[in-house]
Amino acid sequence: MTNETVLVIGGTGKTGRRVAAQLRERGVEPRVASRSAEIPFDWADPGTWAAALDGVTAAYIVPYDISPSPTPALVKQAVESGVRRLVLLSARGADVPGYFGAAYDDEGPHAQGEAAVRASGVEWTILRPGWFAQNFSEGVFADGVTGGELALPTGDGKAAFVDAEDIAAVAVAALTGNGHAGQVYELSGTRALGIDDVLGEIAEVTGRRARYVPVDEADFRAGLVAQGVPDDEAALWTDALKPVRTSQEAPVVDGVRRALGREPRDFAEFVRDAAAGGAWQA
């Protein structure tokens, strides 16, 4: 499909920009769409969708995490405009009732998006990654790592954090190659780590050790609200960490190997690359 037009929705985000970069490495110039990209795309403004979809044959969809989800409407419009292949970024546990806790209903946005692509009538692939390794280098945990203290309601729980480079590699394989239609890829890293383990591995490379502070869920949520986060959003963040707190994301799964024929990148490899790229510099 190297002569096809591939749309990357969310193309400036953690996975989207990596998908775009890896497509270019394969000789495919992606159409990058987001609110800040050259091709404007706003989930909250369906009027921006048609121009982004025009002439597109394959699309990578990073959904808007609200319920009811706008993904079904986007999928319908994409198919009507001629898109023949859809790759959806979902989440590990999207098919497990109660996986994320009380703030997420069992038919939340990920489940709604998955149902839409399954019923689309075109080729589809679903990616279900767990928590990203990159959250420690460029995401919600990065400031805590750099600042020397990371306070989270995760207790002694563990997760097999997945490298966003692997997520992108699976997405690109599904967007451009054969054999991925109708596949659901559960994605993880190579081993389970607790938050204190993660900070220890970062310290081995950077020489600076951040302290992990386990906090109560209610205190964590109240702290977010005190920082100006709306209470409903603070509840979602707190519940989103439940799979780490309960070690539901500790099991290593085989999606990367099934999709790419190789093992996932190890967390230590992520740390080395992130540090070399300037992460965690004071």
Side-chain angles (χ1 to χ4, degrees), residues 82-107:
V83 176
R84 302 194 302 272
R85 183 174 290 186
L86 299 168
V87 177
L88 176 71
L89 182 69
S90 184
R92 192 169 176 180
D95 61 334
V96 180
Y99 189 85
F100 297 105
Y104 287 79
D105 61 56
D106 294 340
E107 293 297 327

Side-chain angles (χ1 to χ4, degrees), residues 214-264:
V215 295
D216 179 83
E217 294 171 56
D219 291 340
F220 179 76
R221 179 173 171 176
L224 291 176
V225 172
Q227 295 170 34
V229 177
D231 186 65
D232 57 346
E233 187 175 331
L236 287 174
W237 270 113
T238 304
D239 273 2
L241 286 162
K242 177 187 173 233
V244 180
R245 183 167 60 251
T246 58
S247 295
Q248 287 171 280
E249 294 201 359
V252 173
V253 287
D254 65 354
V256 172
R257 184 170 64 254
R258 286 200 299 117
L260 304 177
R262 64 164 175 82
E263 294 302 310

Side-chain angles (χ1 to χ4, degrees), residues 39-91:
I39 306 296
F41 180 93
D42 188 342
W43 278 109
D45 182 6
T48 65
W49 299 358
L53 290 166
D54 185 41
V56 168
T57 50
Y60 175 66
I61 302 172
V62 178
Y64 191 22
D65 193 12
I66 61 168
S67 190
S69 171
T71 302
L74 184 279
V75 167
K76 181 176 184 293
Q77 187 167 334
V79 173
E80 290 173 349
S81 72
V83 176
R84 302 194 302 272
R85 183 174 290 186
L86 299 168
V87 177
L88 176 71
L89 182 69
S90 184

